[in-house]
Amino acid sequence: MRRADRLFQIVQLIRGRRLSTADFLAKRLEVSARTIYRDVADLQHQGVPIEGEAGVGYRLGAGFDLPPLMFSQGEANALVAAARLAQSWLDTGLAGEVESALGKILSVLPPAARAAAEAQALYAPAVAVDPRTQALLRPLREAVQSRHVVRLNYADEQGRPSERRVRPLGCFYWGKVWTLSTWCELRDDFRGFRVDRIVSLDVLDERFTVEPGRSLADMLRHVWGRPGVGPGGG
């Protein structure tokens, strides 16, 4: 890789993350950490507002931007492939946003690159998620983002009904089913619910705040670390 290309990639990597260490940048660019230190110092000297220092990490200061990007052929192919897969597994609202974003990406490519990306023989037929699950995913995803409490009417594996008030933390896809990970107010603990077993749901006006010990990070750290943890059953 030419040094000019490497400097450009350093800026791209730093601006895409909250904090980037020299070791992370070195591994991504297949150079030594010392090379990264030198390159960052040169970028700072040229006026690029990279904040931070060796041993701590770097971030890009506010107000700095680069000219519009041009994707490589490999990047364009990867984006088209990822978008086709995503559209089959997401709810219809988010799948529509993916299609819109893909159109914008393809519009900036040269005609030959666009044709090559669209001609990939990689497809994901839209039979991955049943329509009912897709319909439930959108309000659940939005409730996660807005931190609204959700009331679920749920049926477990044996078909036994229950009603739960939950704090939705995240939606997870396991290859065959979607699950909703939550803090369950009834159990006073983390619980996972298969979306295809949700009989009905109501997104309540009540909002919740993230509390220590009840966050998504806490769930991932304490629940997923247990042997045998998989798609939840409530």
Side-chain angles (χ1 to χ4, degrees):
M1 180 185 295
R2 297 181 307 166
R3 184 165 186 269
D5 293 334
R6 188 174 70 243
L7 294 177
F8 179 80
Q9 289 298 324
I10 288 173
V11 175
Q12 291 296 336
L13 289 169
I14 291 176
R15 80 171 183 171
R17 294 164 54 88
R18 291 184 179 180
L19 195 67
S20 299
T21 64
D23 286 341
F24 166 79
L25 296 170
K27 289 178 182 178
R28 287 294 301 271
L29 298 174
E30 299 181 347
V31 296
S32 67
R34 180 174 296 181
T35 297
I36 296 297
Y37 296 146
R38 184 174 62 248
D39 287 348
V40 169
D42 287 346
L43 287 166
Q44 291 171 327
H45 182 72
Q46 294 170 23
V48 179
I50 297 176
E51 303 170 352
E53 58 186 60
V56 177
Y58 302 104
R59 66 180 181 181
L60 202 60
F64 180 79
D65 203 0
L66 291 172
L69 298 180
M70 178 57 67
F71 296 101
S72 69
Q73 186 66 67
E75 290 170 338
N77 292 350
L79 289 168
V80 170
R84 287 177 179 173
L85 292 171
Q87 286 177 302
S88 294
W89 302 104
L90 299 173
D91 62 75
T92 54
L94 205 54
E97 297 293 343
V98 170
E99 183 176 5
S100 175
L102 181 60
K104 293 177 181 178
I105 291 169
L106 292 175
S107 69
V108 303
L109 297 175
R114 176 172 182 168
E118 292 181 317
Q120 291 185 98
L122 190 155
Y123 301 95
V127 295
V129 179
D130 65 273
R132 186 175 176 280
T133 296
Q134 283 187 322
L136 293 173
L137 274 175
R138 183 168 187 170
L140 291 174
R141 173 174 55 82
E142 292 174 348
V144 170
Q145 188 170 7
S146 63
R147 296 178 183 168
H148 277 84
V149 175
V150 175
R151 183 169 55 237
L152 300 177
N153 288 309
Y154 189 74
D156 66 13
E157 188 175 2
Q158 285 74 42
R160 294 172 298 197
S162 64
E163 182 175 299
R164 308 289 183 91
R165 273 174 49 97
V166 300
R167 302 179 181 187
L169 301 176
C171 298
F172 294 84
Y173 183 65
W174 297 84
K176 291 184 178 180
V177 297
W178 276 96
T179 63
L180 173 71
S181 292
T182 74
W183 177 265
C184 178
E185 295 184 354
L186 176 65
R187 302 301 186 191
D188 197 31
D189 200 355
F190 296 111
R191 286 293 187 272
F193 299 90
R194 282 182 49 157
V195 174
D196 60 346
R197 293 179 184 163
I198 296 175
V199 178
S200 63
L201 66 89
D202 291 305
V203 179
L204 307 180
D205 292 335
E206 179 183 350
R207 302 183 70 176
F208 64 92
T209 57
V210 176
E211 301 177 22
R214 299 183 178 186
S215 69
L216 177 61
D218 292 314
M219 188 207 74
L220 295 175
R221 185 163 49 247
H222 298 298
V223 178
W224 279 23
R226 299 174 186 171
V229 172

